[in-house]
Amino acid sequence: MKLSILATLAIAATILMGCGSVQKPTVEVANHDSDHNIPAIDQMIVEMKQAYIEKCYLPVANRKPPENACQSELFQTLERRYHLDYNQNHVAMASNDLFFKDIDAELRKMLRSDPEIRQAARNGGFKNVGEMLAYYKDKYKFDTQLEQY
């Protein structure tokens, strides 16, 4: 009798602990057709996204108080949109907006300063920086279809 009660409590505790957990987003280099393959841009985006996940996304998704400007900006965006009733999908949607503002700035800087990247972008069939940003935003967006418990 006591053993079954303990087992039931252990199962209930495990379920409750699993329900509140945040799924860490994964980052990997996207697959491209040969025209859009620019490894330097992929590397920059992957490195920036890994840093963003650790420094901004996860602390806010875990509802820790903001400790830096990135976390504050993400938290304020979530608070404006969803008040304090936000979930991980909301964090992902807001992160897609905020993270890609930083990518836009870095992408423009790379295109201005590196002739090889500028040439690869032209050869890749991108008409302008906006089209290039939209392409990479689609390839590296945060998953907004996470299961919520």
Side-chain angles (χ1 to χ4, degrees), residues 84-129:
L84 293 178
D85 189 31
Y86 64 88
N87 60 39
Q88 189 171 357
N89 287 325
H90 297 137
V91 175
M93 286 186 278
S95 291
N96 281 329
D97 296 338
L98 298 175
F99 173 69
F100 284 100
K101 283 191 335 188
D102 294 340
I103 293 298
D104 183 27
E106 191 63 30
L107 190 59
R108 289 175 190 276
K109 186 169 35 171
M110 289 176 79
L111 290 168
R112 276 193 311 269
S113 64
D114 192 328
E116 289 180 26
I117 292 176
R118 191 170 40 248
Q119 187 63 37
R122 284 188 194 129
N123 294 342
F126 295 112
K127 295 177 186 168
N128 55 44
V129 178

Side-chain angles (χ1 to χ4, degrees), residues 52 55-57 59-60 65-78 80 98-99 101-102:
Y52 184 88
K55 294 178 183 175
C56 299
Y57 184 103
V60 172
E67 296 177 351
N68 59 40
C70 180
Q71 290 174 21
S72 294
E73 185 178 23
L74 180 56
F75 178 76
Q76 288 172 0
T77 300
L78 290 165
R80 277 192 304 273
L98 298 175
F99 173 69
K101 283 191 335 188
D102 294 340

Side-chain angles (χ1 to χ4, degrees), residues 25 32-33 53 76 82 90 94 102 145 147:
H32 306 286
D33 58 29
I53 289 168
Q76 288 172 0
Y82 312 106
H90 297 137
D102 294 340
Q145 301 301 314
E147 278 189 44

Side-chain angles (χ1 to χ4, degrees), residues 8-22 149:
T8 304
L9 288 175
I11 292 171
T14 303
I15 290 171
L16 288 175
M17 286 175 45
C19 290
S21 68
V22 172
Y149 298 97

Side-chain angles (χ1 to χ4, degrees), residues 22-58:
V22 172
Q23 297 175 19
K24 183 177 180 179
T26 58
V27 184
E28 55 188 46
V29 176
N31 293 323
H32 306 286
D33 58 29
S34 60
D35 289 340
H36 295 102
N37 190 21
I38 307 173
I41 293 175
D42 286 316
Q43 180 181 352
M44 177 266 299
I45 293 173
V46 166
E47 289 173 2
M48 286 182 69
K49 189 170 180 181
Q50 287 172 335
Y52 184 88
I53 289 168
E54 293 299 323
K55 294 178 183 175
C56 299
Y57 184 103
L58 287 176

